């Protein structure tokens, strides 16, 4: 019995010692330091004007190298430029930056060194540097960056812009030189006959590059280049309900939110006949009770002689 009791006691002591060790381990709140890998890598690349915007340097497409473009590799989130992290492209558009700490960083383009007529649409560029490796990071200049129609209206006239919108009046519907588009921010006229005959329909989404401007107080894009057509994005665009007073107010400035938009009015009365007084044969005057405005009905859109009562 004594031998058995002694063995049980030894086991009990062992169990208690093990439990004490486990409890001590559970109470240890010290966390091991994160794994840190040090070292550097390099970045090199080509700066070029991408005329066809396909991401490939091809002089036969009109692409050309850009020299003298400045850039700086910065610690992401701090804006601090790494030591030795600046460079400038040479006459062949080439650049190289060595001894950059590994990790993902920002490569900021010096916009003051971007040539006239060239846009760098992504700035800064995101670049990941790997240990003892050379990472390629090409800088692509483009004719213009995609912006909203409202942003295009806020720019100085004569600027080249790239916009995208839903077609609300297709080329040739009113006449060969008028196409209307709108996006979530605003609407605009594209004044050119170059879009006619390209199969563009109401509800298609198109992207154009062109020059912004104004004529007789109306905003427009001129000299457009069709860059993209996506058929049937919004096959039944709905007009925005407005008052005749709002239409009249929209003529004060081409930045007005409804100028160029697809709109409708309800219960508007024709209060001055087409061609009466100072109005020419295409212009009449309507009023829904909120205030009169001029309406223009171009040839072929409707029979003006029948627009005598209520809309």
């Amino acid at each position: 019995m004594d031998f058995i009791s002694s063995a049980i006691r030894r086991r009990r002591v062992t169990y208690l010692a093990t439990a004490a060790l486990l409890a001590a381990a559970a109470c240890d709140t010290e966390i091991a330091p994160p794994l840190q890998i040090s070292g550097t890598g390099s970045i090199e690349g080509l700066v070029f004007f991408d005329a066809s915007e396909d991401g490939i340097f091809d002089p036969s497409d009109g692409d050309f190298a850009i020299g003298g473009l400045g850039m700086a590799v910065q610690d992401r989130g701090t804006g601090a430029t790494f030591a030795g992290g600046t460079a400038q492209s040479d006459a062949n558009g080439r650049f190289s930056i060595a001894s950059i700490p590994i990790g993902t960083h920002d490569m900021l383009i010096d916009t003051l060194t971007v040539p006239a007529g060239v846009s760098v649409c992504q700035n800064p560029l995101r670049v990941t540097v790997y240990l003892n490796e050379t990472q390629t990071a090409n800088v692509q200049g483009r004719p213009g960056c995609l912006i909203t129609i409202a942003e295009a209206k806020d720019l100085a006239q004569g600027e080249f812009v790239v916009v995208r919108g839903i077609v609300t009046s297709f080329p040739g519907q009113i006449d060969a030189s008028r196409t209307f588009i709108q996006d979530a921010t605003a609407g605009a006229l594209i004044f050119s006959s170059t879009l006619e005959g390209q199969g563009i329909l109401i509800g298609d989404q198109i992207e154009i590059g062109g020059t912004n401007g104004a004529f007789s107080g109306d905003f427009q894009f001129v000299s457009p280049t069709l860059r993209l057509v996506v058929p049937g994005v919004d096959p039944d665009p709905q007009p925005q309900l407005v008052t005749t007073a709002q239409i009249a107010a929209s003529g004060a400035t081409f930045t007005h939110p409804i100028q160029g938009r697809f709109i409708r009015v309800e219960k508007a009365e024709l209060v001055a006949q087409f061609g009466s007084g100072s109005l020419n044969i295409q212009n009449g005057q309507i009023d829904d009770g909120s205030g009169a405005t001029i309406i223009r009905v171009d040839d072929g859109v409707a029979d003006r002689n029948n627009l005598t009562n209520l809309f």
Side-chain angles (χ1 to χ4, degrees), residues 67-294:
L69 189 84
M71 62 208 73
V73 181
Q74 298 182 336
D75 185 23
R76 185 178 169 195
T78 70
T81 300
F82 292 112
T86 60
Q88 193 172 66
S89 59
D90 62 20
N92 296 316
R94 298 289 179 182
F95 69 90
S96 179
I97 308 174
S99 301
I100 297 297
I102 60 174
T104 300
H105 312 301
D106 290 332
M107 189 166 77
L108 185 69
I109 307 303
D110 182 0
T111 56
L112 295 179
T113 63
V114 177
V118 176
S119 298
V120 177
C121 299
Q122 185 180 352
N123 190 20
L125 300 173
R126 191 64 50 80
V127 180
T128 299
V129 178
Y130 298 97
L131 182 64
N132 299 327
E133 293 185 15
T134 299
Q135 180 72 6
T136 300
N138 292 335
V139 181
Q140 300 167 31
R142 298 191 171 191
C145 304
L146 180 65
I147 61 175
T148 67
I149 295 174
E151 289 172 329
K153 289 185 175 185
D154 285 333
L155 295 175
Q157 293 183 37
E159 292 278 347
F160 178 85
V161 296
V162 178
V163 296
R164 183 182 297 168
I166 299 296
V167 176
T168 56
S169 179
F170 59 81
Q173 183 182 21
I174 299 175
D175 65 41
S177 298
R178 285 179 169 84
T179 304
F180 283 88
I181 63 171
Q182 65 183 32
D183 62 13
T185 66
L189 163 67
I190 303 172
F191 185 70
S192 172
S193 61
T194 61
L195 300 185
E196 191 178 32
Q198 302 201 45
I200 297 171
L201 299 173
I202 289 175
D204 291 350
Q205 183 185 72
I206 67 172
E207 181 178 300
I208 61 118
T211 303
N212 66 345
F215 179 77
S216 296
D218 293 334
F219 182 82
Q220 60 186 13
F221 298 113
V222 296
S223 303
T225 299
L226 185 63
R227 298 157 55 97
L228 176 71
V229 179
V230 183
V233 171
D234 187 3
D236 188 24
Q238 295 300 303
Q240 178 182 343
L241 179 62
V242 299
T243 66
T244 52
Q246 287 176 302
I247 297 173
S250 71
T253 171
F254 58 65
T255 59
H256 193 283
I258 71 169
Q259 191 185 111
R261 273 201 171 279
F262 184 31
I263 61 172
R264 67 186 175 97
V265 293
E266 293 182 347
K267 299 180 179 179
E269 184 179 359
L270 188 68
V271 294
Q273 294 286 341
F274 289 88
S276 64
S278 61
L279 300 175
N280 66 37
I281 191 62
Q282 293 178 314
N283 293 351
Q285 196 173 62
I286 61 173
D287 192 344
D288 63 0
S290 64
T293 189
I294 294 176

Side-chain angles (χ1 to χ4, degrees), residues 178 274 280 282-284 294-299 301 304:
R178 285 179 169 84
F274 289 88
N280 66 37
Q282 293 178 314
N283 293 351
I294 294 176
I295 180 174
R296 180 180 179 89
V297 178
D298 280 291
D299 297 332
V301 175
R304 288 184 293 271

